[in-house]
């Protein structure tokens, strides 16, 4: 087995994932400041990044499956200790650690984004309640009840006789 070639291929995939994670981090950060109408767009982009990342990890695992000793897979795993990795796979291990750093940053941001979204939702619901109980809402209900237009009424056969 040629570990050098496999390690280079895995490093290439890890660099691709790293770039995707950085873009995903930007999208997650955008959820802090984007208007409510753009939240769905950000979520769709984040979902797309996750799908692409999962595909690339599938490619990495396919390369790892060619290693009968399992050293490549061990180097790619997120919770592997450096002492357990042979020196010729150090670059793979280091690239994976870079991914871990971005992934942890994203995980730290998510609870804050959830709080922001919850507050935004509560604020929107409060605005709806205030709008529904405002003077203009009451006036429109009154106007609808006393307008000149006769509503179309349907009477059953039983009620038609005068």
């Amino acid at each position: 087995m040629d570990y050098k070639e496999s390690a280079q291929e895995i490093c290439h995939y890890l660099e691709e994932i790293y770039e995707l994670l950085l873009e995903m981090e930007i999208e997650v950060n955008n959820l802090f400041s984007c208007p409510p109408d753009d939240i769905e767009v950000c979520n769709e982009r984040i979902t797309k990044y996750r799908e692409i990342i999962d595909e690339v990890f599938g490619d990495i695992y396919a390369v790892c499956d060619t290693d009968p000793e399992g050293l490549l897979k061990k180097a790619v795993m997120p919770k592997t200790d450096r002492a357990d990795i042979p020196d010729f796979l150090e670059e793979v291990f280091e690239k994976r650690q870079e991914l871990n750093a971005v992934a942890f940053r994203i995980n730290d941001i998510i609870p804050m984004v959830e709080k922001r979204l919850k507050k935004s939702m509560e604020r929107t619901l409060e605005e709806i309640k205030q709008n529904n109980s405002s003077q203009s809402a009451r006036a429109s209900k009154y106007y609808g009840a006393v307008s000149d237009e006769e509503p179309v009424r349907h009477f059953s056969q039983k009620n038609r006789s005068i």
Side-chain angles (χ1 to χ4, degrees), residues 42-61:
C42 285
N43 279 334
E44 288 173 2
R45 287 183 191 145
I46 291 168
T47 301
K48 188 65 177 167
Y49 287 131
R50 283 182 173 169
E51 291 170 358
I52 295 169
I53 289 169
D54 287 344
E55 289 175 16
V56 178
F57 265 120
D59 295 338
I60 290 173
Y61 294 141

Side-chain angles (χ1 to χ4, degrees), residues 121-134 137-138:
M121 185 177 72
E122 289 170 354
R123 192 173 333 124
T124 303
L125 287 174
E126 189 61 35
E127 288 174 9
I128 290 170
K129 287 178 185 177
Q130 287 176 353
N131 229 4
N132 286 342
S133 64
S134 69
R138 290 184 193 141

